[in-house]
Amino acid sequence: MELLKERILKDGTIEEGNILKVDSFLNHQLDISLLNEIGKEFRRRFPEKIDKILTIETSGIGIAAIAAQYFNTPVVYARKIDSKNLEKDVYETKVYSYTKGKEYTVKVGKKYLNKEEKILVIDDFLANGKALEGLIDIISQAGASLVGAGIVIEKGFQEGGQDLRNKGIKIESLAIIESLSDGRVIFK
Ligand code: G4P
Ligand code: NA
Ligand code: NA
């Protein structure tokens, strides 16, 4: 998606540890007109019947909520934080984060994912793919079916995307980064 790539080149910064910071439009301040274009592009790439969008807090929520307007579906987000008010009856799975060097538990209330629903997963980043694998596990526990995953930025030099595509999962990433070396963003 050219508009997104141009924006990454203009406003993205590279931090230590191969981290691409996109706080000014995607991860902290949100550019809603860009998110609308992202939502439309996801719809173009997933013309299939979709019953529900599943994402994960925090950064996935805004992206998924804007995209959902083009799918006319609800959005459910998996929770990472233990909240007193969270549903008791949940599907849960463990996700290991390389970036943070720790494992966390992800939960979705059982009543919000139902058997045979067609689910599109949306998230901001795909790196090692552990968050996405966790969401896929939750979808399968629910007996729902995964249509695919729409990702805003894939770090193509980490293996998550390739591993999941090799398992036959449809992954559509709007910008795929080949390298972040030497302070430059190179797209695939
Ligand atoms: P993985 O799920 O693909 O295995 O990724 P990993 O554990 O390595 O990443 C942990 C968190 O860092 C995720 O967000 C992920 O989206 C994000 N992330 C990974 N690489 C980058 C990057 O280069 N730039 C930015 N901005 N984020 C990156 P999170 O912290 O778990 O969620 P959230 O609360 O920020 O949404
Ligand atoms: Na993030
Ligand atoms: Na994320």
Side-chain angles (χ1 to χ4, degrees):
M1 183 182 174
E2 279 316 308
L3 184 69
L4 171 66
K5 290 186 193 168
E6 283 165 18
R7 190 59 179 273
I8 292 169
L9 291 176
K10 183 169 158 272
D11 291 333
T13 58
I14 299 167
E15 310 277 308
E16 208 174 313
N18 268 338
I19 296 293
L20 176 66
K21 235 174 155 27
V22 287
D23 281 5
S24 68
F25 60 97
L26 193 67
N27 281 156
H28 196 12
Q29 174 170 260
L30 304 178
D31 181 335
I32 300 302
S33 60
L34 177 66
L35 292 188
N36 274 295
E37 294 309 315
I38 285 171
K40 289 177 204 167
E41 183 64 21
F42 281 142
R43 176 81 269 195
R44 276 193 286 275
R45 293 182 187 218
F46 291 97
E48 297 95 331
K49 179 180 184 293
I50 305 289
D51 295 311
K52 202 168 270 181
I53 292 174
L54 178 66
T55 188
I56 180 165
E57 65 182 358
T58 303
S59 305
I61 299 173
I63 299 160
I66 301 280
Q69 298 178 109
Y70 301 99
F71 290 86
N72 291 305
T73 62
V75 173
V76 176
Y77 63 93
R79 304 194 67 161
K80 294 182 204 162
I81 300 153
D82 264 312
S83 153
K84 271 201 204 105
N85 299 319
L86 186 62
E87 295 286 312
K88 296 273 177 296
D89 205 13
V90 295
Y91 298 112
E92 59 176 75
T93 195
K94 289 202 172 7
V95 170
Y96 179 77
S97 168
Y98 290 93
T99 309
K100 293 181 177 153
K102 62 171 192 188
E103 193 176 62
Y104 57 94
T105 302
V106 169
K107 301 179 182 181
V108 176
K110 287 190 178 174
K111 67 173 151 186
Y112 301 121
L113 276 184
N114 301 298
K115 230 173 149 58
E116 277 147 42
E117 278 179 334
K118 298 189 188 314
I119 310 293
L120 172 65
V121 173
I122 283 184
D123 207 357
D124 58 342
F125 273 89
L126 172 58
N128 294 296
K130 299 301 170 194
L132 184 50
E133 280 177 29
L135 295 177
I136 293 168
D137 179 35
I138 282 175
I139 291 166
S140 92
Q141 290 180 46
S145 76
L146 173 72
V147 176
I151 302 294
V152 181
I153 302 173
E154 177 176 341
K155 293 163 89 180
F157 54 88
Q158 293 180 240
E159 59 278 12
Q162 206 44 57
D163 288 354
L164 289 160
R165 287 186 185 95
N166 288 344
K167 291 181 184 167
I169 293 164
K170 176 177 175 182
I171 298 179
E172 290 288 335
S173 300
L174 305 188
I176 302 182
I177 292 169
E178 171 99 46
S179 152
L180 293 173
S181 310
D182 307 320
R184 284 177 58 212
V185 180
I186 309 284
F187 295 105
K188 227 176 196 164

